[in-house]
Amino acid sequence: MARAWQHPFLSVFRHFKVDEWKRSAKEGDVATVMDKTLKCTVYRVRGSVSASNYIQLPRTGTQSLGLTGRYLYVLFRPLPPRHFVIHLDVFTEDSQVIRVSFSSLFKEFKSTATWLQFPFICEAGTPRKDAAGVPPTGARWTCLQLDLHDLLLVYLNRRYGHLKSIRLCASLLVRNLYTSDLCFDPAVTAPEARRAKLPVTPMPREMAFPVPKGQSWHDRYVHIRFPSDSSKGVSTLGQKNGSLPEAGLSALCSTGSAALSSTAAFLGHVPRLLPHSAPFNKPTQDSMSPEVQMHDPAASCRVPSAPRPLPEISMSCERLEVSSVGGPSGRGQEPSAWAEATDKCVNSTNVHVSAHELAVVPVAPEDVAPHEPPCREQSGQQAALGKNRFQQRSFLPDPILRLKGVIGFGGHSTRWALWTKDGAAVVYPCHAVIVMLHVDTRQQRFFLGHTDKVSALALDGSNSLLASAQARAPSMLRLWDFQTGACLSLFRSPVHVVCSLSFSDSGALLCGTGKDRHGRTVVVAWDTAQVGRGGEAVLLTKVHTDADIQAFKVAFFDETRMASCGRGGVRLWRLRRGGLRSCAVDLGEHHALEFTDLAFGQDLDSCTLYVCGRSGHILEIDHQHMAVQRARRLLPTQTPSGPLPKRQTFSSGPGIAISSLSVSQVTCAVGSEDGYLRLWPLDFSSVLLEAEHEGPISSVCVSPDGLRVLSTTSSGHLGFLDVPSREYSVLMRSHTALVLALATKCRQEHLATVSQDHTVRVWDLVTLQQLYDFTSPKEAPRAVAFHPTQPTFFCGFSGGAVCSFSLEATEVLVEHRCHRGAVTGLATSPDGSFLFSSCSRGSLAQYDCAATQCRVLRVAANVVCQDSLMSPNALVVSGDSRLLAFVGPSKYTVTIMDTASLDELLRVDISALDGTSSRLDSAVAVCFGPAPPGHLLVSTSSNTVVVLDTTSGRMVRELSGVHPTACPSLALSRDGRFLLTAADRAIKVWDYLMQANLGCQVYIGHSEPVQAVAFSPNQQQLLSVGDAIFLWDILAPNERLPPGSVRGSPGAPPACEAGPGMRQLEDTVSGADGLPRWQVPVPSQASPPRLGPCAGLPEGGDGAFSVSDDEGPSEESHGPKGLRQASGSALLVKEADRVVDAACGAAGDSWGLSMPPHPCGQPSAQSPRRARAQPAAHPDSCEPFMSQGKASSLAKVGQSVSSPPASSERLHLKAVVGYSGNGRANVVWRPDTGFFAYTCGRLVVVEDLHSGAQQHWLGHPEEISTLALSHDAQVLASASGHSSTASCGQIRLWEVPGGSCRQLISHRDPTVRALAFSPDDRLLITLGYDGDCTLALWSMSTYELLSSTRLPEPVHGVAFNPWHAGELACVGQGAITLWLLQQRGADVSLQVHRERIPEEVRAGKLTSLCYGAMPLLYCGSDTGQVCVWDTHACRCFLAWEADNSEIGVLLCSGVRLVSGSDSGRLRLWAVEAMLELRRKGSGARSSSVFMERELTLDGAIVSAVFHDSMDMGVAGSVAGTLWYINWAEGTSTHLISGHRSKVNEVAFSPSESHCATCSDDGSVRVWSLASMELVIQFQVLNQSCLCLAWSPPSCGRPEQQQVAAGYSDGTLRVFSISRTAMELKMRPHLAALTAIAFSADGQTILSGDKDGLVAVSRLCTGMTLRVLSDQRGAPISTIQSTSKEDGDFGVEGTDLWLAASGDQRVSIWASDWPQGHCELMDWLSFPAPALMEAPGCPVPSLAAFCPWDGALLVCAGLGVHREVIFYSLRHKQVVEKIPLPFFAVSLSLSPGARLMAIGFAECVLRLVDCTSGAVQDFAGHNDSVRLCRFTPAGRLLFTAAHREILVWDVTGC
């Protein structure tokens, strides 16, 4: 739907002011003329060449029109005898640009993935065959109506987004262009439509063509609608004079080219109001693909916003469709494997095509279609065996890997790095992969297809085409669509090896240079103008030259001119008449220099060519006069004290070799071999900026805006210099030789690699940046391994040394030389106890690495295979740290040892496993499987992987033919699900759980053999190294195994039960759509991203969970309940215009209704009905209200609590943060009085919208479900569910002026769904939920129950008729019910009329209702339909699709209607025509219903209230957010914003200006304490934030404050409050973090996880110093740190901290972190308490340092008694005990006064005065009070129960 400002239509020429030519452009013969037919000024575009005469909107290609209207109306007339062309660039929803062209020049329909060409056949044919499309003389004005939505849907199966640009090319007259979402009929005027009662939308007067009186519109003009209803599958646009549309269509279809009629054939598609039987159009057959039948999508695909009639027969359409695959040239071809696709489009506008391959054909990388995943190769083994793909089980999804990141640069050459035209990204090669890297976000996009290293790159000026050449002869060239990454053309170069490429600015010409087979220099030119349009690159010329060429470039100002330079001269080239000619420039004395690079001056008036050379010279050449203007030389200037260059000047003398230069309009960037990048002005008077690099510079490139300079070095560095800020940023570092081995850090996302370039590098897997670089000039590193727990790693070298490196000190800790040969393997035990190394001489060494300085324990000789070329995987340790396996003593055996004693446990002869083989088989690599069951995988030289039992040595499984060659590297995932193998340049992923027909997927991308592969520490990615480092995303969903089964075990089922098809996305902001998982979370100043309805952590979960919008149906059904058998008098029931006497309990559609009041709690019987399963993608507004609070025992609580008198309360509720998104219609607002109220748990919150002050009305025992405000705004009704002391729900009536409870009413239903006051406020109606659905009527004068009716089926809404106090309506399952109240004295009787939903509405139930203008009733349905009822006639006369999900909120006032759906969309509709539609019936117009505005909120809409004008209002979402809606401005603003899930922690800034909260919804929110308004939000998707800490005041200045947060995946993130950004992310734990604290100085972070480990991490480095496992086995519940005097308590250190675990243990530590000192000071252990009253809620262990006595420790939850104990750290004994009524679940002590706050699971908060011993208890929480925290000064107390936060004022501080 278009934006509101584009409604109902938009004049394109007027909006973009075409007459001023500022926002549009004209080229060639474009003029304004007066047209006699239209009697107005039109634009004339004429000329012999259409491409040179045109009008273009917008002016430049970088801009966009942004027009979202579905229909484009082009009012034009062809100009004979020339052709015309109309180009439209359209954006799809997936950001793909599609060009749609219409021209009389085209002879046939053509299509590619990005271009559609439609021939335009004019109305009068010509006798000449070659001029069939030439417009005839007297061509008429035409209204071309293009349905852009259907056009893309039918021909490309894509969804229309918006119109980007338009180009109108000669020769034609054009009056204007219009866009609209409405389908206009240009031949009908508005008066004619009203008189004839035509169901069409007439053309607006501004768009209409003038028709003289008495003449017909069709006699003067032509109307073409394309695609039309009856020809969506045809592809020719035509005009037929005087022929009927059906005749013209059928005649042309029979000849193979379909044409469209010029008349308004779409009239049959316009919705009609009268019910009728719609005919089903017979599908047409497209002759271009005879095997395909395409049915009309218009029969089933509907416009979402258009009102739909109610026909008697509903239809569905099934369409069969086959898509052709574009080849390298872009032309449509038949698929290599036959595909069959079925598409069902029933009641939907989405077209989904699923293809099933019937045969498997190996696909070469260069032949992969654009829609296929890159780097994906199907297994050739399947094709060789001729197997059907369905005979082998494949992974789901396929592909299972996606390339996420590449670490590396260059490969063949480091010269090529280019800027994109916007300067936001760079393009460079990394061996065989081309990478586009965004310099700000560091996100990568790849161009995959080359099979060898890329030798040259070129990008055209518009960034449309990218050209690349492959190094291996014969050189292959690829032309890419730069925007989509699709390969448009692949062809072989006539040059043996291509050295350079250069595009013309337009992209129409590509030049390349290189060497032929004899070493001669060759220059080649290709015509690439047609490549982007489906054509091929055409070789124009090939020229041999004796001149040496180092650089070759095409001039940007003239694509026929080029320049080259090299050893011995500079040459200028000219392309003329298809040939290349060159002429040498007379360089005079500089003719013998070696030139390295050149650049044209960027000033259009300049004729300067800049050339640089190895001698340091820079020549300025006038390329027009072919003469040298100036010659300069770069010289080093020596400082008096040393040889370092101080400043550069241009003079005579020895120069600095210049390797590259780049020129902007004002500066020249120069890169030289001394490693300096220098920026000069164009007069080279003085150097402006310089940046020193670590190696010689290979190339420089200035960005198009001149603000950034890109540089590359021969050492593999890529970076840029930001000129305004004078800062240099490194984009990529890389190894310069083959990478040999890798290692990953288990607790952090770190990767270590060793290479033949003699370096060891450590990388960050999140940012792909290099962290550390260690160089060994003498010995080459061969193997590497991380220490599992310490910040160290080990490296083995070719000389036999094994070194331990410290990542903190960046130095070598210890070096061992116990080997005489090169180290071939390194392995550490996962528990961090041992390190093992092996060498090529056969020795094996064991080290003790538990301490910082590892030491040698044992050295065994001649036990390992003596082979210097052994794989790094030839030495491994099992996951339980018990077993060591290696290849040895010979290559034919594998040995298993005990890791502690090195006792040999097993030796297996690999050569004897296959007794039938005549050759000896040897072992190549080994890998342990998960334990149990205890398997060892061995890769052998016979291309086989055998699985051995580690106990018996017997062979369990055998995988033969794994690779064509031996597999030197393999890895098995931690869960035993995937096996990874690598050999040569291919990587294979195997489904290891399959026992038979093992399936695999093959991936390529490396240009050299893969040396090692491994899974990432989080098992969600895999790594492969060789020529570069590749990081792959694993796209497989999480799988659920049956209870008791073990992954990878022999007994595992062949096909494991697949879990939900969800991927775990982390750190994604604003809805992170299918991009890489790991991104830095961005703080949100507005609404949080939508997480779905169930974003919170499941109760009892382990912290790892995923959220998907594609969840399966819920197991819970909400179908109708049974009919209650009741006794009572008969009731007159009228249904469907028939009157029957229906006794109570009658079957069928009639309801049995009993009128007398029923006692509360009377049981009901249920009868079976078919239940309708509800999808779980969005919350159902009709689901029963489920209180999120804790069902507490109020009777028990009442006996134990001590409620204080109101005058002596020490706590006063100040504010409530949160809104109950769990309720329905639980917000009220009266704009005239300013009264605003909503619910939060058990509280009614009344808030002043101006001041923010709150009142809190407390009294409900359970969570409030709904609210209702009387019409005089004097009484507020609130309802809650039943409690443990009463089985009935509770209704409270509040006095609005005073806030007191006027009356308490007990309702028989456990929970009340809806409340409504009658228009005169004399009656109150209540509606129960499905479990006991009762409609009750109450008197507001006596508060007595007047009537109670048990309803047999669920009813989802009730409303009084505002025009009649005695009428009300209910909506529910399959019907609408109208009630009439008749009261005679004290007796009340009800008459009911039940009308079923018409089948044409296609809705199972009605979910919402509201009254409009009398007598209209609007109802929303579960399918997104809105139907309109005439309550007088009891009929539904109109329905339209208002949304695609359930509508839970409807509000109407006058002529405007607001709908709110479960998808979060809030829409405003104009319904002023409804009364006219009701009166005129089928003769009225239906198109008058249209949508004015649309807003999308952060969750399903559950409540809304609006002003009578509907201009503004308040809406509540299921996410717990209240929004202020302003339709006039189209904005939504936060009013109330709480967490979506349980709040876990709150932390305060030292100044008490702000506080931070964290929640299971993954968000960290920072609030202002003064106003409790949300200031900053940091969001991490699919993770729970479980703990939080604010940096102490000693950490630094206030602007350096930080917040540390711990997450359920074991990661710890540090956020900067001042910069609103994440500063640090590390993973010190494998399990979920449960507690976190800063040290006293703020430089160290203590964190505890649910496994009982405590990690100590440094904030400045992000490294984990140590891990304490003293409390392993139980989750850490509390960590607190404070300061002490050094030597106090008899221990050293200034930090005192404690850790409490769930097994009732508390450890107290003293530490001095800068000195590395940490000492256990005390240890408390207590017996476990008894189970709590609520099962599944363990008693947490609570501990805190006493703020008023630093020697006291306060504990709760320790021991078997319900008490708080005070423990003295000096006397080592308990000094005081305070008894409690219940076990404490939260604890906090006030620093300002001797107060202690204790939270209980019984929803009670207790305040204890530790001085007097007085206690006070406070209610108001809706759940367990699991969090209470005093502010640093003790003036405020924060408590949290589930997702609600209560703020209390503390008096007496």
Side-chain angles (χ1 to χ4, degrees), residues 35 112 214 313 329 495 604 656 762 769 781 811 818 1042 1183 1225 1292 1351 1409 1442 1449 1478 1562 1579-1580 1591 1604 1823:
D35 185 78
T112 67
I313 300 176
S329 64
V495 182
L604 292 177
I656 301 174
V762 181
Q769 294 297 307
E811 63 182 7
C818 52
E1183 290 180 353
R1292 286 183 175 265
L1351 305 178
L1409 77 163
V1449 173
R1478 171 183 170 268
Q1579 182 71 52
V1580 177
S1591 60
D1823 207 332

Side-chain angles (χ1 to χ4, degrees), residues 1434-1483:
C1434 296
R1435 70 181 181 94
C1436 176
F1437 64 90
L1438 184 68
W1440 76 92
E1441 185 178 341
D1443 212 298
N1444 58 7
S1445 61
E1446 182 175 301
I1447 294 179
V1449 173
L1450 275 181
L1451 297 171
C1452 184
S1453 177
V1455 298
R1456 306 176 90 182
L1457 175 74
V1458 171
S1459 65
S1461 70
D1462 284 355
S1463 61
R1465 286 186 287 267
L1466 200 66
R1467 290 176 168 175
L1468 178 66
W1469 303 87
V1471 293
E1472 63 267 22
M1474 283 301 159
L1475 290 177
E1476 177 188 357
L1477 296 177
R1478 171 183 170 268
R1479 287 192 302 267
K1480 295 188 177 182
S1482 62

Side-chain angles (χ1 to χ4, degrees), residues 766 1064-1070 1072 1076-1082 1579-1583 1607 1609 1611 1613 1615 1622 1625:
V766 178
Q1064 195 160 349
L1065 303 176
E1066 177 184 347
D1067 298 358
T1068 304
V1069 181
S1070 305
R1077 289 185 178 88
W1078 307 96
Q1079 296 180 6
V1080 177
V1082 179
Q1579 182 71 52
V1580 177
L1581 295 185
N1582 290 342
Q1583 297 297 334
Y1607 292 84
D1609 63 344
T1611 57
R1613 294 172 172 83
F1615 301 100
M1622 188 183 75
K1625 174 186 174 183

Side-chain angles (χ1 to χ4, degrees), residues 1049-1175:
S1049 61
C1056 292
E1057 179 185 352
M1062 300 178 284
R1063 285 175 316 175
Q1064 195 160 349
L1065 303 176
E1066 177 184 347
D1067 298 358
T1068 304
V1069 181
S1070 305
D1073 73 57
L1075 292 176
R1077 289 185 178 88
W1078 307 96
Q1079 296 180 6
V1080 177
V1082 179
S1084 171
Q1085 301 286 350
S1087 62
R1090 290 193 56 193
L1091 301 178
C1094 303
L1097 181 68
E1099 293 297 331
D1102 60 357
F1105 62 97
S1106 299
V1107 178
S1108 173
D1109 289 335
D1110 300 326
E1111 296 177 3
S1114 173
E1115 294 180 358
E1116 181 182 1
S1117 298
H1118 309 287
K1121 301 299 181 183
L1123 184 68
R1124 175 182 179 272
Q1125 187 70 28
S1127 61
S1129 58
L1131 176 68
L1132 184 65
V1133 178
K1134 180 181 180 183
E1135 180 172 352
D1137 297 330
R1138 57 186 176 92
V1139 179
V1140 297
D1141 290 329
C1144 296
D1149 290 335
S1150 304
W1151 285 2
L1153 305 173
S1154 58
M1155 303 309 300
H1158 299 293
C1160 181
Q1162 186 171 347
S1164 62
Q1166 295 184 357
S1167 62
R1169 293 285 187 96
R1170 181 175 59 88
R1172 177 177 180 268
Q1174 300 294 334

Side-chain angles (χ1 to χ4, degrees), residues 66-103:
L67 303 178
T68 57
R70 172 173 179 167
Y71 297 99
L72 173 66
Y73 297 87
V74 184
L75 309 183
F76 78 104
R77 181 170 75 88
L79 282 179
R82 305 258 181 211
H83 295 281
F84 73 90
V85 183
I86 299 176
H87 295 299
L88 310 176
D89 286 340
V90 181
F91 250 110
T92 62
E93 286 187 354
D94 54 356
S95 300
Q96 173 76 37
V97 179
I98 305 296
R99 168 153 287 194
V100 181
S101 300
F102 301 89
S103 176

Side-chain angles (χ1 to χ4, degrees), residues 1448-1531:
V1449 173
L1450 275 181
L1451 297 171
C1452 184
S1453 177
V1455 298
R1456 306 176 90 182
L1457 175 74
V1458 171
S1459 65
S1461 70
D1462 284 355
S1463 61
R1465 286 186 287 267
L1466 200 66
R1467 290 176 168 175
L1468 178 66
W1469 303 87
V1471 293
E1472 63 267 22
M1474 283 301 159
L1475 290 177
E1476 177 188 357
L1477 296 177
R1478 171 183 170 268
R1479 287 192 302 267
K1480 295 188 177 182
S1482 62
R1485 294 184 295 120
S1486 63
S1487 58
S1488 299
V1489 181
F1490 63 93
M1491 188 173 68
E1492 293 185 3
R1493 288 277 190 178
E1494 177 181 3
L1495 293 172
T1496 301
L1497 306 186
D1498 58 347
I1501 312 297
V1502 297
S1503 184
V1505 57
F1506 276 80
H1507 189 271
D1508 292 340
S1509 64
M1510 306 299 282
D1511 289 333
M1512 57 182 177
V1514 178
S1517 70
V1518 74
T1521 309
L1522 284 177
W1523 299 82
Y1524 169 71
I1525 307 299
N1526 189 323
W1527 289 123
E1529 299 178 0
T1531 58

Side-chain angles (χ1 to χ4, degrees), residues 1044-1056:
S1045 64
V1046 180
R1047 292 187 183 273
S1049 61
C1056 292

